[in-house]
Amino acid sequence: MTIRLLALALLAILTSESRAEGPPYDLVILGGRVVDGTGNAWFVGDLAVSGNTIERITPGGQLREVPAKVRVDASGMVVAPGFIDIQSHSREALLGGDGRLVGKVTQGVTTEILGEGESDAPSKRFDGPRGFDAWLKAMKKHGGSANFGSFVGSQTIRSYVKGMKPGAPTSSELSTMKRLVREAMKDGAFGLASALIYPPDTFVSTEDLIALSREMAPFGGLYITHMRSEADQLLEAIDEAIRIGREGGVPVEIYHLKAAGRRNWDKAKLAVEKINRARAGGLDVSADMYPYVAAGTGLTACLPPWASANGKLLDNLADPQTRARIREEVLHPTEPWENLVELSTPEEVLILGLEKPSTKKYAGMRLAEIARLEGKPWVDTAIDLLLAERQRIGTIYFMMSEENLRLQLRQPWIKFGTDAGGHDPEKAKGLVHPRSYGTFARVLGKYVREEKVLTLEDAIRKMTSATAARLSIRDRGLIREGFRADLVIFDPLTVGDRATYEAPHQTSVGIRDVFVNGVAVVRGGRHTGALPGEIVRGPGYSGPGGSAGGNRP
């Protein structure tokens, strides 16, 4: 027995020495302040990564002598899980554009969640019972620096069946919409995402959304919504979202929570109280936000929704009689809808997305200033710009208050989303909202380090595990052994955003290294060109190569 034990011990030593001859790990990160995503206080630690997985986490110094293909000194740096953007608009970049998503990964984003209102499936291009899956796989084939997954868009579901026609769906149409939701959930959609201020979602009733939510409930789906109002009817819109969750049997997430328009700023506290009461009553409702006082959407958001019915907005604006009716509704509304110019005032509306030679000179100017130069009322100026451009025209609306931002940031159920796509500052044309480049770094720099609105650990939790848990992504969002190696290394003393409304195409600073599935996509603040992003899926996934509840590709 003694000889056998000695032989086994000798074999173990020889095996250990043999293992030490070649690097046992692909990546070792040494001596960083590990903020693991749970909300716990940071600790100095070492991490070892094999392939795409975190294999070991030890106190600092324990892995100093362990061989590795790549060794990264993180002394003085924060090591955190990769940030998860719950409201991304990188669909075009991931499907056929610049999948590097430079502006996103350089602020620490490692996972993009798509689908607000719209998704690329179901559609003519991605049709059939596995259409949603085909879309996800098409993005994977194209390649992306970040991981990606999506909700199925409520607008997409409705327009697939009814186009831009207003009115309730027929029994047959609603049955088709329900089937499309079920199919998307089986393909890995995280749930149903609505955008209720934009046609055709404007025409969707509460009852229809409840019916569709019931279809996704058995698959663990989440109802996430750009609510019907974020201004005068904010509280009523929250009530609608709560009702959909309660009667649909699903949890509720509110996109970019805000109280828009100075006259509504006092409603932010009431909105927070309403959400807290719903949670205290047992309903799973929470929200996310971006850390800016300005919203970004189209200039078309100053027009009544009915003007876009049947996809005829530009035709209606070009017809003198219909234009006069639209103009009158803008200035003297006869039914409830949100005119974002009126809420912001023309002086606080920044026009960005102008492309035609006749209008491009006005890009980066306030609507009131353009109206003065044109010698027209603001509403006529807006309509003429839309007719000249023949597109929605990207626009910034300054509508929120810093005090309300800070109130929301402190809520335990808040998460973060950019509400933006990823851009390359070296190639980008035109102006965009600075949140495209700065959302996560701005939180860490302005609201954690400078203003101390929330702690570093709580901010990281809201950027990582809180979102992963909300989406039932079970292998990301934490620095934990066995989890995917999505990691961000940043300098807590310098991290911050540089993008501004006037000069948005500037990457954040202080984000030194970013790894996605163990592969470096940012080193020393510069993109490496790597495209290691994988598909992430919702808990209802039951497609080929996976089982229900899986998050694997």
Side-chain angles (χ1 to χ4, degrees):
M1 181 63 70
T2 302
I3 294 175
R4 183 183 179 191
L5 289 174
L6 287 172
L8 289 172
L10 179 60
L11 178 61
I13 293 171
L14 291 173
T15 301
S16 176
E17 290 176 350
S18 175
R19 178 180 173 88
E21 289 176 1
Y25 300 116
D26 293 300
L27 169 67
V28 168
I29 300 172
L30 300 168
R33 300 178 188 177
V34 178
V35 180
D36 65 7
T38 64
N40 290 337
W42 63 264
F43 63 92
V44 176
D46 297 344
L47 278 67
V49 173
S50 291
N52 61 12
T53 303
I54 300 170
E55 190 166 323
R56 288 186 66 189
I57 304 169
T58 72
Q62 298 298 300
L63 301 181
R64 187 176 296 119
E65 304 301 325
V66 172
K69 294 178 182 177
V70 177
R71 305 174 69 81
V72 175
D73 183 359
S75 301
M77 299 284 168
V78 170
V79 182
F83 307 150
I84 303 174
D85 183 354
I86 198 171
Q87 190 183 11
S88 167
H89 294 297
S90 294
R91 290 188 294 130
E92 291 183 8
L94 287 165
L95 191 55
D98 186 355
R100 296 177 304 147
L101 307 175
V102 176
K104 290 297 193 72
V105 296
T106 52
Q107 59 176 295
V109 172
T110 61
T111 300
E112 297 268 79
I113 306 300
L114 315 169
E116 183 207 358
E118 296 179 293
S119 49
D120 281 65
S123 65
K124 290 182 179 178
R125 179 177 178 184
F126 300 107
D127 207 348
R130 309 302 316 195
F132 198 89
D133 179 67
W135 169 46
L136 296 177
K137 288 178 177 176
M139 290 191 286
K140 177 66 174 70
K141 183 177 181 180
H142 175 70
S145 290
N147 307 305
F148 50 87
S150 185
F151 289 86
V152 63
S154 173
Q155 289 186 30
T156 302
I157 294 291
R158 182 180 170 97
S159 61
Y160 186 93
V161 176
K162 287 187 69 68
M164 291 290 288
K165 296 178 183 178
T170 65
S171 176
S172 176
E173 288 172 336
L174 184 59
S175 178
T176 299
M177 294 165 70
K178 290 178 178 180
R179 174 179 59 80
L180 293 172
V181 169
R182 291 194 302 271
E183 290 174 353
M185 295 303 298
K186 292 177 182 178
D187 281 349
F190 290 104
L192 181 71
S194 66
L196 299 178
I197 73 165
Y198 305 115
D201 251 1
T202 312
F203 311 135
V204 176
S205 71
T206 307
E207 288 70 24
D208 290 345
L209 291 168
I210 291 170
L212 296 180
S213 293
R214 287 172 177 161
E215 296 302 313
M216 67 171 172
F219 301 94
L222 171 68
Y223 175 66
I224 189 167
T225 178
H226 178 152
M227 296 187 298
R228 218 173 287 274
S229 172
E230 297 176 326
D232 295 345
Q233 304 298 314
L234 169 63
L235 302 179
E236 293 84 350
I238 295 175
D239 286 337
E240 180 189 33
I242 289 173
R243 180 190 165 196
I244 292 167
R246 180 182 297 114
E247 297 184 24
V250 293
V252 174
E253 179 78 11
I254 297 171
Y255 276 131
H256 46 53
L257 182 66
K258 63 174 74 77
R262 184 178 294 272
R263 65 174 179 256
N264 295 304
W265 286 357
D266 62 343
K267 294 178 181 175
K269 182 178 180 181
L270 300 176
V272 168
E273 291 174 351
K274 184 178 285 287
I275 292 171
N276 283 332
R277 283 197 303 273
R279 293 184 61 81
L283 183 65
D284 185 0
V285 56
S286 60
D288 48 78
M289 63 180 290
Y290 45 76
Y292 296 88
V293 295
T297 187
L299 183 59
T300 49
C302 73
L303 303 177
W306 58 258
S308 297
N310 300 309
K312 295 183 178 293
L313 175 62
L314 294 176
D315 292 340
N316 289 334
L317 292 177
D319 176 72
Q321 185 174 356
T322 310
R323 172 176 173 148
R325 182 183 165 209
I326 292 171
R327 187 183 189 279
E328 180 64 19
E329 180 67 19
V330 169
L331 297 176
H332 306 99
T334 59
E335 55 185 48
W337 61 281
E338 286 197 345
N339 179 342
L340 298 194
V341 173
E342 189 269 335
L343 284 164
S344 305
T345 75
E347 290 75 18
E348 297 297 332
V349 175
L350 181 66
I351 305 296
L352 302 183
L354 300 176
E355 301 171 356
K356 297 298 172 68
S358 62
T359 58
K360 198 171 184 180
K361 60 187 176 182
Y362 294 136
M365 295 174 62
R366 304 293 174 121
L367 180 58
E369 182 181 4
I370 301 172
R372 284 193 294 270
L373 292 172
E374 288 283 305
K376 304 173 185 175
W378 76 261
V379 62
D380 294 302
T381 301
I383 290 174
D384 288 345
L385 287 173
L386 289 166
L387 284 171
E389 285 284 326
R390 303 196 69 79
Q391 48 105 355
R392 65 196 292 269
I393 304 179
T395 301
I396 300 290
Y397 298 90
F398 292 88
M399 297 190 295
M400 289 82 79
S401 77
E402 279 285 350
E403 181 181 357
N404 286 341
L405 286 186
R406 296 184 186 100
L407 169 67
Q408 293 178 189
L409 284 165
R410 294 187 182 100
Q411 302 310 310
W413 35 260
I414 276 289
K415 295 160 289 295
F416 299 109
T418 64
D419 196 7
H423 303 276
D424 178 1
E426 296 181 1
K427 299 178 181 179
K429 297 179 181 179
L431 300 175
V432 297
H433 197 298
R435 63 196 181 195
S436 299
Y437 292 90
T439 294
F440 289 86
R442 182 176 179 83
V443 172
L444 296 171
K446 177 178 174 64
Y447 294 106
V448 172
R449 183 183 63 246
E450 296 174 8
E451 298 188 6
K452 298 178 173 54
V453 176
L454 66 172
T455 66
L456 174 64
E457 290 84 355
D458 190 38
I460 296 297
R461 180 187 66 80
K462 289 170 176 171
M463 295 174 175
T464 59
S465 68
T467 307
R470 193 61 170 153
L471 300 174
S472 298
I473 300 174
R474 302 188 183 100
D475 54 1
R476 303 181 194 272
L478 291 170
I479 293 181
R480 179 172 291 175
E481 292 176 359
F483 271 49
R484 293 296 182 92
D486 296 343
L487 301 165
V488 178
I489 302 175
F490 66 88
D491 184 349
L493 301 180
T494 63
V495 65
D497 62 312
R498 295 188 302 161
T500 65
Y501 297 103
E502 296 75 19
H505 296 293
Q506 303 183 77
T507 57
S508 296
V509 295
I511 305 290
R512 194 188 76 179
D513 304 316
V514 180
F515 298 87
V516 176
N517 298 308
V519 177
V521 296
V522 175
R523 289 303 307 271
R526 299 186 63 83
H527 203 293
T528 66
L531 302 172
E534 296 285 354
I535 301 170
V536 291
R537 302 182 191 259
Y541 177 55
S542 59
S547 58
N551 298 117
R552 301 294 184 179

